[in-house]
Amino acid sequence: MNAPISFLAPHDTPWTPAEFEARLRALESGYHIHHPFNRLLNSGGCSPEQIRGWVANRLYYQISIPLKDAAILSNCPDRETRRRWIQRLIDHDGQGADEGGIEAWARLGEAVGLDRAELWSLRHVLPGVRFAVDAYVNFARRAPWQEAVCSSLTEMFAPRIHLDRLAGWPSHYPWIEPEGLHYFRSRVPLARRDVEHGLEVTLDHFRTPDAQQRALGILQFKLDILWSILDAVEKAYPV
């Protein structure tokens, strides 16, 4: 699926924080922005049916993110970390006048032509997508909270994928209602904020050579989750 990561070889002394962060960021080559389905999606090559299938399946990931974040909170004894992390639940579930990211994704579903009740029925969610997403949530429930935080660092690579959609979709898919793209627009600053905190926790916690290797493996696991989701969608909605 993805090329082997050459720098996962054992090292004898800990990397400096800058070196460690650079190795985490180097895993971007396995981010799902490079998946063939995403390349097709962002180049204007997807049919309405493929886009609707992707949106319907991705909803299952969206509604599971607060469950993952709640699991991290439930495992975290540090009050200051919880005070910062809880904002992620609010970002997705919404609060007060802010409808949140899940609702923004549902509006994207409507913008691409999905009936809201049909979308929320989850009947289009593929077994492979459900399995991958559930594996991620279960990891967050069972792993030490710092490891679950580390898995969230795929957000390092997210702004580009959102910006690509904002730049290309209006011309590639003029039939999609423009207001449906709000989710992508809203996630750019939030992802950057979340990365700052996630990196702070990860760089502080994973300090030994073995721990740093563990962190790279955790981030690769999350990258594989996202890649597997698109594998399932690509197979179900072929060109």
Side-chain angles (χ1 to χ4, degrees), residues 11 35 37 53 72 86 185 206 228:
H11 57 294
H35 192 284
F37 188 88
I72 291 173
I86 199 170
R185 192 173 297 109
F206 297 89
S228 295

Side-chain angles (χ1 to χ4, degrees), residues 68 72 85 136 139-140 143-152 218:
K68 177 268 297 184
I72 291 173
W85 203 268
Y136 180 41
F139 171 79
W145 67 271
Q146 298 95 334
E147 294 192 357
V149 167
C150 177
S151 72
S152 75
I218 289 166

Side-chain angles (χ1 to χ4, degrees), residues 17 32-33 68 126 130 168 182 184 197 215 221-222 226:
H32 64 169
I33 195 171
K68 177 268 297 184
L126 300 161
R130 193 179 297 271
H182 172 71
F184 306 132
H197 186 205
F221 160 75
K222 173 61 182 307
L226 296 174

Side-chain angles (χ1 to χ4, degrees), residues 112-174:
V112 302
L114 287 166
D115 176 77
R116 177 175 282 260
E118 181 181 17
L119 179 67
W120 278 103
S121 74
L122 302 181
R123 70 181 184 87
H124 296 291
V125 178
L126 300 161
V129 171
R130 193 179 297 271
F131 185 85
V133 173
D134 289 353
Y136 180 41
V137 175
N138 287 331
F139 171 79
R141 286 173 174 155
R142 297 169 182 171
W145 67 271
Q146 298 95 334
E147 294 192 357
V149 167
C150 177
S151 72
S152 75
L153 286 177
T154 49
E155 291 279 16
M156 291 188 295
F157 318 126
R160 179 184 163 193
I161 205 169
H162 298 319
L163 291 170
D164 284 352
R165 290 165 185 160
L166 290 168
W169 280 34
S171 58
H172 294 321
Y173 308 112

